[in-house]
Amino acid sequence: MKVRLSLVLGSIVLGLIFLECFSRLVFAFNFSNRDGLYQMDPEIGWWPKPNLNYKKVLSSSKGRQYSALYTSDENGIRYTPREWEAEANVDKAQYNNANTTRVLVIGDSFTGDLHSSDSLAWYSYPDKHADLDIWAFGIGGSGSTQQMLAFKRLQPIIKPDILLIQFCSNDPENDFFPNSYISGIYNQEWFRPYLVDGEVVRRNDLQASIYRQLYASSDLFKLIDRSVLKIRSQFFPETIKSLSASQLEEAVENWKNIYSMYVSTALNSGVKEVWSVTCSGYPGEDANSTQDMWREYSEELGVKVFLSFSDSVSSANEDGIDTKSADGAHWNDIGNKIAG
């Protein structure tokens, strides 16, 4: 009996080892998912992996295939001007076109994830066609707190004249600490830093701590976790709760405080202007309250907004133009070009 039990346990262990090795191969050769593009970061939650160069054929929501190239430099920045020469020691980084205005773009998945080539992403067009030099940096799934912390890290390297903030309608939820107890996206909520009463905090209960340890050490756990979330989202959506109306109001007010701090942090660092765009555009439908809130509050803070950025993509999509990536939410190469 003991021998049989040992054989069964040994088989289970070998099976788990095999599955773990297989999972690591999956992540090692697939950079199109979030785990392939990002690495865990103790301060910001996750950060783009440095020095990536990855090419993949993507599909639009209409089934059109197109090639996309994703790159990152040693700081995880996805797009830099040609005149930029950064060395390992950032104090020695040189910029050879001092007469051009420097713009640092910081955003979420619409800026950082792989939905088009870097050179065809929305931020590349002002770099090509305006008297602006663009550095683009994105953290897929992030909120404004993470992006503000990223700005503090990148500002001494880039020394931008303008900060361009790419907002998304889910930013208030991403920045709202109580949402971490409701959302089923644990690989974001349980790694994400939150700003609560002026202090940066994160989930440190036993469940979240154990999860982070398993997620950091096992690619098999990552695959299982992702599969469970997909099954819950598709077949048992009622198991993933959403914020109540009153909680959403709290989340918006909380985001306003973070956004105000983000803007003042940038201006106090030497940035001359703060601009912002939103990826949420809904022309022809009822006014989107989150977009209106973003626009109105940005204008209160003196932030310059560009409404045509997302509205033009939404209008083109309604006219039947192929603007969406395969997930039906983000923009493909054509959508990025229209926004740019």
Side-chain angles (χ1 to χ4, degrees):
M1 186 68 179
K2 290 183 179 180
V3 174
R4 288 182 180 178
L5 181 60
S6 298
L7 289 173
V8 170
L9 290 175
S11 299
I12 292 173
V13 171
L14 288 174
L16 289 173
I17 292 173
F18 171 80
L19 289 173
E20 178 65 34
C21 292
F22 173 77
S23 301
R24 296 196 176 198
L25 285 173
V26 169
F27 284 108
F29 293 101
N30 184 9
F31 291 95
S32 60
N33 61 69
R34 189 152 293 163
D35 293 300
L37 297 178
Y38 300 97
Q39 61 189 14
M40 296 300 105
D41 185 278
E43 178 191 13
I44 296 173
W46 55 99
W47 187 270
K49 289 181 179 179
N51 302 314
L52 282 184
N53 191 308
Y54 177 69
K55 191 172 185 179
K56 183 178 176 66
V57 175
L58 303 177
S59 295
S60 74
S61 61
K62 295 181 181 294
R64 175 179 58 86
Q65 292 193 322
Y66 59 100
S67 182
L69 175 65
Y70 177 100
T71 62
S72 64
D73 70 3
E74 65 274 13
N75 297 303
I77 298 171
R78 187 175 176 189
Y79 185 93
T80 60
R82 285 172 297 177
E83 297 86 355
W84 178 252
E85 296 178 1
E87 299 180 11
N89 182 349
V90 296
D91 294 332
K92 294 182 180 179
Q94 297 184 19
Y95 181 66
N96 300 326
N97 193 353
N99 296 321
T100 303
T101 301
R102 305 186 189 192
V103 180
L104 173 59
V105 175
I106 297 184
D108 55 23
S109 55
F110 277 79
T111 299
D113 284 2
L114 180 57
H115 299 291
S116 72
S117 291
D118 312 333
S119 61
L120 297 176
W122 66 267
Y123 43 76
S124 71
Y125 291 94
D127 184 68
K128 297 169 186 172
H129 301 294
D131 189 23
L132 301 170
D133 271 351
I134 306 289
W135 284 258
F137 176 88
I139 310 175
S142 62
S144 298
T145 298
Q146 291 168 282
Q147 293 168 28
M148 177 175 64
L149 295 173
F151 170 78
K152 290 181 178 180
R153 186 179 295 182
L154 295 173
Q155 190 277 334
I157 301 171
I158 309 301
K159 297 181 175 62
D161 301 299
I162 296 170
L163 169 64
L164 175 52
I165 298 170
Q166 178 253 300
F167 171 81
C168 202
S169 57
N170 61 0
D171 284 0
E173 294 179 48
N174 288 342
D175 286 310
F176 193 48
F177 188 48
N179 191 51
S180 68
Y181 294 90
I182 296 175
S183 172
I185 310 177
Y186 306 133
N187 64 355
Q188 291 181 21
E189 305 302 339
W190 291 0
F191 281 94
R192 188 194 311 279
Y194 298 87
L195 199 63
V196 179
D197 297 327
E199 299 290 331
V200 176
V201 302
R202 67 185 69 237
R203 285 281 299 271
N204 281 322
D205 51 274
L206 181 62
Q207 186 180 8
S209 298
I210 292 175
Y211 175 93
R212 286 197 295 264
Q213 289 295 325
L214 288 171
Y215 198 90
S217 59
S218 172
D219 285 352
L220 174 60
F221 181 81
K222 291 179 186 177
L223 283 179
I224 294 172
D225 180 69
R226 180 181 299 158
S227 300
V228 169
L229 177 60
K230 188 173 183 179
I231 292 170
R232 288 179 65 191
S233 301
Q234 291 184 349
F235 302 105
F236 307 99
E238 69 279 0
T239 64
I240 302 177
K241 299 179 182 178
S242 57
L243 295 176
S244 65
S246 61
Q247 286 177 317
L248 278 172
E249 289 182 6
E250 288 183 51
V252 167
E253 291 305 311
N254 177 68
W255 173 82
K256 285 183 176 180
N257 291 331
I258 295 167
Y259 188 47
S260 176
M261 184 181 298
Y262 188 4
V263 171
S264 62
T265 296
L267 294 174
N268 290 334
S269 75
V271 166
K272 298 174 183 176
E273 295 183 52
V274 179
W275 298 351
S276 188
V277 292
T278 174
C279 58
S280 309
Y282 301 89
E285 302 178 9
D286 294 337
N288 180 270
S289 59
T290 307
Q291 176 171 300
D292 289 343
M293 177 275 299
W294 157 82
R295 175 184 55 79
E296 292 169 3
Y297 196 60
S298 292
E299 291 172 349
E300 282 184 33
L301 296 175
V303 174
K304 185 175 183 178
V305 299
F306 300 83
L307 294 178
S308 62
F309 174 73
S310 57
D311 289 351
S312 58
V313 184
S314 296
S315 295
N317 189 64
E318 290 181 354
D319 291 339
I321 297 175
D322 185 6
T323 63
K324 297 291 185 70
S325 62
D327 64 10
H330 296 88
W331 300 332
N332 58 31
D333 51 346
I334 296 174
N336 269 272
K337 182 178 182 180
I338 293 170

